Amino acid sequence: MKLRDEDNIRAQVDRLGRPSVEQLNREIARQTHKEAYQRLLCSVLGILAVAVAAIIIVTNLWVTVLQIEGASMNPLLQEDEIILMSRDGKFERGDVIAFTHHDRLHVKRAVAIGGDRVEIGPDGTVSVNGEPLREPYIGETHLGNCDIEFPYQVPPETVFVLGDNRPLSVDSRDSGFGTIGREQVIGKLLFRAWPIGRGRNP
């Protein structure tokens, strides 16, 4: 008798158009899933926002992203490659550096610094302070576009730079280009960002 009464009550509720317990459970599950999805989406968007902000801060404070133009640093760096440069201005002889010169941004190799004595032979062999440089990174030795007299004394607080593509590069061998003031140096090459996997990184 009791079961029949409950069935009658359910029938009356259904006739009134009210949701069943099963429908209510499904709706609760749907709302719970929706809220969980929204929380996950907000969390992911928050993480992405923090990551983007961190990238912007790092890029502005510590690194510079550059795209290579020209062939003066072949074979190490090719045209259109994307590289990351430090922005602390610290470098050593032999490092690839970025610097501003004649209102342009350049990437060359720091060969000698203020006070060093540079000599370049007719075959393009470079010596610094009487020591021939080992330069496995260049394609070929070449005197290039050179109109300075040797031995050349690098002025104080400047840097003598050369491109790795010696036959083509315009650099400190050309008196019109000259040496680079240390204050013009942005930083040194960190690594190649793109394309990934093209030979060794600098």
Side-chain angles (χ1 to χ4, degrees), residues 36-56:
Y37 174 78
Q38 289 175 339
R39 286 196 299 270
L40 177 62
L41 182 61
C42 289
S43 177
V44 170
L45 290 176
I47 292 171
L48 287 176
V50 171
V52 169
I55 290 171
I56 292 172

Side-chain angles (χ1 to χ4, degrees), residues 63-106:
V63 299
T64 296
V65 180
L66 299 178
Q67 184 172 24
I68 296 297
E69 295 182 7
S72 69
M73 285 302 293
N74 287 0
L76 180 66
L77 299 175
Q78 308 288 333
E79 187 162 15
D80 293 331
E81 289 186 339
I82 307 297
I83 60 173
L84 266 62
M85 311 288 298
S86 69
R87 296 193 63 162
D88 57 11
K90 297 177 182 178
F91 64 93
E92 298 177 354
R93 296 179 187 87
D95 286 340
V96 176
I97 61 173
F99 55 90
T100 56
H101 188 55
H102 295 166
D103 298 322
R104 290 190 61 189
L105 195 60
H106 298 266

Side-chain angles (χ1 to χ4, degrees), residues 130-147:
E131 293 291 328
L133 297 184
R134 291 182 62 256
E135 299 187 288
Y137 40 78
I138 67 173
E140 61 176 305
T141 57
H142 200 284
L143 186 58
N145 185 24
C146 181
D147 64 356

